[in-house]
Amino acid sequence: MPAIADIFTDRILKNPRGLVARFWWRDMKAHHDIFRETLQALALTAEDNLIEIGCGGGTFINWALESGCRATAVDHSADMVALTEKNNAEALRQGRLEVVRAAAEALPLPDATYTAAALMNVLFFLDAPRALAEVHRVLAPGGRLVVHSVAPNPPSKIAPAPVARRMRLYTDEEIRTLLEAAGFSEVRITRTNGVFQLATALRPATAEQQSESADAVSGSESDRP
């Protein structure tokens, strides 16, 4: 028989489903600080098109939409997709939000579509190289990524030991290596309370974008008295 920790990890955390999971994720208040930190790092504007991988109950995407941006929320759990749709019904009606049921490692979304991406508390349950490669693919050149995760600290700091052992936790350098291998640049990793990792990165801009940026800076300098 599966261990209780396996059942909890699978049905509540990895692939949430059922009444208990829907109640758990309808508004995960324990993650509100994580949402705030991620939003601050993303600095969304009305011009952005955001993708969130692992949207859970849809609280973060609800907050993100307050910036005026458009967004796509992705989760592989049918229950989480339904919960996100319920909690963001107005944005769906307005056409500002799309909710997609899909695996992070195989996104049914077009290339170079999004200007910003967020992954929070999901990297440790994913095939990280494949998932990050998919995020890189769907981000437009110059698009920015924020990953919020948990460092491999003593399990008691993040989850009961039987659950923590079922999570693939990465050191800061391992996350940096994963991001760079997926094609991201300008990787920065900071810590919150010594436990949580906030990684930011960019999909490199095209040569044309870099040239336009350089021209803009040059033009601004030439206008100075």
Side-chain angles (χ1 to χ4, degrees), residues 13 34 39 53-54 61 72 90 94 130 172 188 198 211:
L13 303 178
I34 291 170
L39 284 172
I53 307 298
I61 214 74
T72 296
E90 182 61 25
Q94 295 172 352
R130 290 177 60 198
D172 294 358
R188 295 181 176 86
L198 181 72
S211 176

Side-chain angles (χ1 to χ4, degrees), residues 59-202:
T59 299
F60 173 80
I61 214 74
N62 182 276
W63 292 9
L65 288 165
E66 293 177 3
S67 69
C69 73
R70 292 174 292 128
T72 296
V74 178
D75 207 292
H76 67 172
S77 163
D79 282 10
M80 295 303 100
V81 166
L83 196 55
T84 294
E85 290 176 338
K86 178 180 179 181
N87 290 339
N88 294 276
E90 182 61 25
L92 281 169
R93 283 193 293 270
Q94 295 172 352
R96 295 177 54 220
L97 173 65
E98 178 185 18
V99 187
V100 177
R101 185 184 180 192
E105 298 87 352
L107 299 173
L109 300 168
D111 296 353
T113 300
Y114 300 93
T115 62
L119 290 87
M120 294 167 290
N121 289 327
V122 295
L123 190 67
F124 39 68
F125 288 136
L126 302 177
D127 180 332
R130 290 177 60 198
L132 293 174
E134 278 291 88
V135 174
H136 184 275
R137 178 183 66 79
V138 301
L139 272 178
R144 56 206 189 275
L145 167 66
V146 175
V147 176
H148 208 299
S149 195
V150 179
N153 293 283
S156 60
K157 290 189 176 182
I158 55 164
V163 175
R165 285 196 293 269
R166 290 157 174 81
M167 302 162 67
R168 173 61 171 96
L169 303 178
Y170 299 95
T171 66
D172 294 358
E173 283 309 307
E174 286 173 330
I175 289 181
R176 180 183 302 278
T177 298
L178 286 166
L179 288 168
E180 291 176 347
F184 288 97
S185 65
E186 298 187 36
V187 178
R188 295 181 176 86
I189 301 172
T190 58
R191 289 287 192 97
T192 301
N193 300 325
V195 176
F196 296 102
Q197 298 158 312
L198 181 72
T200 61
L202 297 177

